[in-house]
Amino acid sequence: MLEAAGEVFAAQGFHEASMDAIASRAGISKPMLYNYFGSKDGLYAAYIARSGAALLSVLREASSPGATAQERMYDGLVAFLTYVEGHRAGWSVLYSEAVGRAGPAVGSVVEIRSRLAAIVSRVLALELEDPVARDALAHAFVGAGESLANWWLDHPAQSKQETAALLTRLIPR
């Protein structure tokens, strides 16, 4: 159900997506969607939560704890781009919510972005002692990573590894 919902939300946007279209794509009845999720808002929030949890899980496991900040950031970026590549609907929905700053799941997306920034901040702690600089740069890297992923999707000749290396060069040493 959630996979079908994500495909419809990604293709049509939240407001244009209908529960009928989602139910049809999932091969179930519309009342079953309402039974599980209560409303379209509930279904959307569940999809955002699932996509965000999958992304965070991928990033937590991307690199070994003994790696340098540059190695950890590079590994994390490759894992992030791999997630984006394999979950285009999920990425499309997460990103549209992230930039829109409005909608039924904006609170969930803000939480996901905060958790992403916390992961990046821990990586930057290997190179930066100043907690304010670390926090500011972590948020900047999250935004840059989102934008870079969209650029990369439009430039299929560029490999994930080459793309990750571009942003990794900005890590302070």
Side-chain angles (χ1 to χ4, degrees):
M1 286 185 276
L2 289 174
E3 199 63 38
E7 291 168 6
V8 174
F9 287 136
Q12 299 177 6
F14 174 77
H15 293 293
E16 296 301 318
S18 72
M19 293 295 266
D20 285 323
I22 295 167
S24 175
R25 183 170 227 130
I28 60 170
S29 68
K30 186 165 76 169
M32 184 177 276
L33 281 177
Y34 283 105
N35 185 48
Y36 277 96
F37 301 103
S39 66
K40 185 165 79 166
D41 286 357
L43 175 58
Y44 194 67
Y47 182 74
I48 293 283
R50 187 184 113 194
S51 296
L55 174 58
L56 290 166
S57 176
V58 163
L59 293 179
R60 277 190 216 101
E61 299 169 8
S63 188
S64 67
T68 67
Q70 288 78 19
E71 292 166 336
R72 290 177 74 182
M73 187 66 79
Y74 173 82
D75 292 343
L77 284 165
V78 170
F80 173 63
L81 293 173
T82 300
Y83 172 86
V84 168
E85 181 179 48
H87 302 88
R88 288 190 187 222
W91 171 247
S92 175
V93 172
L94 283 172
Y95 183 73
S96 66
E97 281 292 315
V99 297
R101 294 273 183 181
V106 72
S108 297
V109 173
V110 168
E111 174 63 24
I112 292 164
R113 288 179 106 198
S114 293
R115 293 174 77 188
L116 289 171
I119 291 169
V120 173
S121 183
R122 285 191 294 277
V123 170
L124 292 175
L126 299 172
E127 300 293 337
L128 293 171
E129 292 181 23
D130 180 0
V132 173
R134 235 183 2 249
D135 186 52
L137 286 176
H139 283 83
F141 273 103
V142 168
E146 291 170 351
S147 193
L148 184 65
N150 288 325
W151 175 87
W152 175 69
L153 290 172
D154 290 337
H155 294 84
Q158 188 80 10
S159 75
K160 287 181 276 199
Q161 293 76 13
E162 292 167 328
T163 303
L166 292 172
L167 188 54
T168 303
R169 290 184 204 162
L170 300 177
I171 302 296
R173 296 178 195 249

